[in-house]
Amino acid sequence: MDDRLISDYVKNIEVSGIRKFFNKVNKYQDAISLTLGQPDFKLPKEIKEGLIHAINNDKTGYTSNIGINELREEISVYLKTINIDYNKDEICLTVGGSEALFDVFTTVLNPFDKVLIPTPAYPAYESCTKLLGAIPINYTLNAEFLLDIDKIEMLIKKEKPKVLVISFPTNPTGAVMIKEDRDKLYEIIKRNNILVITDEIYSSLCFDKDYYSISQFKDIKEKVILIGGFSKMFSMTGLRIGYLCAEDKYMKHIIKVHQYNTSCAPSIVQWGALYGLKYCMEDVEYMKKQFIKRRNYAYERLTNLGFQVNFPKGAFYIFPSINKYNMSSERFCNRLLEEGKVAVVPGSAFGRAGEGYIRISYAYSYEELKEAFNRIEKWLKTI
Ligand code: PMP
């Protein structure tokens, strides 16, 4: 096919390394996969009822572009429980956090604008940036995968980026924002002309008691856009619902991108998510407790196997170093899959600083985790 027919920007990006690896796993029928960021819990009962209720009541037409009032109001209530203040008119419902990210990037970026993106990080930030002809500038995290505030300030001064992307709790490392970093970052944002896009899709999976976010400061709200979603919170990844929060000066433009992109989030699912927030917060707590147990188990197994690994405090990923094995993360994962019959994601799928690590998702049952770690243990003895 004539390559000139494809946009240069699109040619410049790749299929996500997570998906690439997941697709490979399908060829190994006997392998255990710990690749996907998808909770193994069933959809909570009341959400199912909400979906069915919406169907039976013919709630199948377009909703307003921004989404149904009831859910936006309930999101506003939820956010207040983690000290984040957005009213319903500052919240737009989207087709997953993915669409929210895409809408926001499209709304704010011109070609050649610079975007500070953490590495390692969820690959969408860099790909969205490149798709718009903007320029990603990676900033590395510290040894605990937390923000290196001095480095960020230095890069803001040097590169004059338009946008700073942050994401806590983090995919792929499981790190969460700490108070000290939040407060230091706040001072920097106050002093500089920059917009923060903060992806907090794992907000309900912070294992610490207190939740810290840059979106908790009212006086810099005009410099912050928040991304959220329900895929992970309610174990409903395939139902595709998320949201973004922004002040009106952004929202009035974002809504145009959202309108031409999808018109509105799926109507039935909007009602389902509403039931989730109203009736399923105990399920969320239950799932969190299970993830904490699995996190503890995965951490213990990995440290016993001699891996150097940070103790994750949120999301459902653990990100051990494989440096001592003298293999690229891709080779390590290929061999582990082919010889050890366990699939995990190469750290390189999460950017430059992901090399030397592997991402293990513990959003899988205890039995699967146990079997996978047994296989890893056995395989390590052979290499
Ligand atoms: N942000 C992060 C950090 C993620 O890990 C994901 C999904 N893996 C998303 C956004 C998008 O999720 P969804 O579109 O399912 O809401």
Side-chain angles (χ1 to χ4, degrees):
M1 190 187 128
D2 188 346
D3 219 23
R4 284 171 312 161
L5 295 178
I6 306 299
S7 142
D8 289 340
Y9 295 152
V10 175
K11 274 188 277 190
N12 196 20
I13 63 165
E14 285 204 34
V15 173
S16 145
I18 312 171
R19 274 285 159 186
K20 258 195 215 162
F21 218 79
F22 179 71
N23 294 342
K24 203 183 267 177
V25 181
N26 288 338
K27 295 192 193 116
Y28 294 82
Q29 293 292 322
D30 49 349
I32 293 196
S33 170
L34 305 181
T35 53
L36 276 192
Q38 169 159 282
D40 65 321
F41 298 103
K42 293 215 166 70
L43 186 66
K45 190 169 120 280
E46 288 82 358
I47 298 183
K48 289 184 183 168
E49 283 167 13
L51 297 168
I52 292 165
H53 189 261
I55 294 173
N56 287 338
N57 285 278
D58 298 311
K59 307 247 185 225
T60 51
Y62 292 123
T63 68
S64 64
N65 294 135
I66 198 164
I68 60 171
N69 279 333
E70 291 86 340
L71 177 54
R72 290 183 297 115
E73 259 156 21
E74 215 55 51
I75 292 172
S76 174
V77 172
Y78 161 70
L79 290 175
K80 287 206 176 70
T81 67
I82 47 174
N83 301 319
I84 298 173
D85 188 14
Y86 283 102
N87 68 44
K88 74 169 176 33
D89 298 324
E90 296 171 319
I91 299 170
C92 173
L93 308 178
T94 55
V95 181
S98 303
E99 195 227 334
L101 281 170
F102 202 83
D103 289 351
V104 171
F105 277 66
T106 307
T107 302
V108 301
L109 291 178
N110 288 314
F112 306 111
D113 281 341
K114 292 178 177 171
V115 183
L116 284 185
I117 297 174
T119 175
Y122 183 56
Y125 316 132
E126 184 147 341
S127 296
C128 286
T129 302
K130 287 182 175 171
L131 263 180
L132 295 157
I135 302 168
I137 295 175
N138 283 144
Y139 66 89
T140 46
L141 300 161
N142 70 18
E144 289 160 70
F145 302 120
L146 298 178
L147 298 176
D148 181 337
I149 301 286
D150 293 337
K151 194 183 288 166
I152 290 177
E153 181 152 39
M154 186 274 287
L155 281 169
I156 290 175
K157 290 218 160 72
K158 186 168 153 231
E159 302 282 355
K160 310 241 173 321
K162 190 179 210 174
V163 170
L164 166 67
V165 178
I166 56 174
S167 177
F168 295 101
T170 307
N171 175 8
T173 65
V176 303
M177 176 73 105
I178 57 170
K179 182 174 185 301
E180 195 190 340
D181 288 355
R182 180 202 63 172
D183 294 348
K184 282 191 197 155
L185 184 65
Y186 161 72
E187 293 298 334
I188 293 176
I189 302 307
K190 222 159 74 165
R191 280 200 299 271
N192 289 279
N193 184 17
I194 192 159
L195 169 69
V196 184
I197 299 176
T198 175
D199 178 355
E200 302 186 23
I201 195 136
Y202 294 95
S203 61
S204 65
L205 287 171
C206 173
F207 306 151
D208 284 348
K209 193 167 66 52
D210 296 313
Y211 187 76
Y212 297 107
S213 159
I214 194 68
S215 55
Q216 289 165 331
F217 296 98
K218 286 199 180 130
D219 62 333
I220 55 162
K221 223 173 137 184
E222 53 155 0
K223 293 181 172 182
V224 176
I225 296 180
L226 172 71
I227 307 290
F230 300 112
S231 286
K232 324 284 172 171
M233 183 175 188
F234 294 135
S235 189
M236 55 193 285
T237 53
L239 290 174
R240 312 307 303 128
I241 182 126
Y243 57 91
L244 59 88
C245 306
E247 284 200 335
D248 181 61
K249 70 171 185 171
Y250 299 108
M251 192 58 95
K252 66 183 185 208
H253 294 291
I254 292 172
I255 206 78
K256 293 183 279 181
V257 180
H258 170 62
Q259 176 184 0
Y260 291 117
N261 198 354
T262 59
S263 284
C264 63
S267 58
I268 293 165
V269 185
Q270 294 187 39
W271 291 101
L274 172 66
Y275 275 53
L277 283 176
K278 276 178 118 161
Y279 309 120
C280 302
M281 293 314 280
E282 273 178 24
D283 300 75
V284 174
E285 270 313 296
Y286 171 81
M287 290 190 263
K288 181 154 99 177
K289 281 203 183 110
Q290 300 309 308
F291 285 131
I292 290 173
K293 278 190 197 156
R294 294 174 191 185
R295 182 271 315 264
N296 294 346
Y297 178 71
Y299 180 78
E300 192 190 309
R301 290 295 302 260
L302 286 167
T303 42
N304 285 345
L305 290 173
F307 282 96
Q308 201 202 328
V309 60
N310 276 319
F311 189 60
K313 305 219 168 113
F316 36 59
Y317 308 105
I318 190 160
F319 203 60
S321 165
I322 51 144
N323 260 335
K324 67 175 185 185
Y325 295 104
N326 281 324
M327 279 183 243
S328 71
S329 59
E330 176 121 20
R331 181 156 165 73
F332 185 94
C333 291
N334 276 328
R335 284 192 60 188
L336 177 57
L337 176 60
E338 283 157 23
E339 300 163 18
K341 302 284 183 274
V342 177
V344 297
V345 182
S348 55
F350 304 93
R352 186 167 39 83
E355 187 49 88
Y357 296 88
I358 55 172
R359 187 193 77 171
I360 296 176
S361 164
Y362 54 84
Y364 290 86
S365 71
Y366 176 74
E367 288 68 34
E368 281 170 294
L369 288 174
K370 190 170 168 201
E371 173 62 18
F373 282 115
N374 288 347
R375 289 184 188 190
I376 293 173
E377 184 165 4
K378 213 163 126 196
W379 176 70
L380 285 175
K381 288 184 184 137
T382 69
I383 64 170

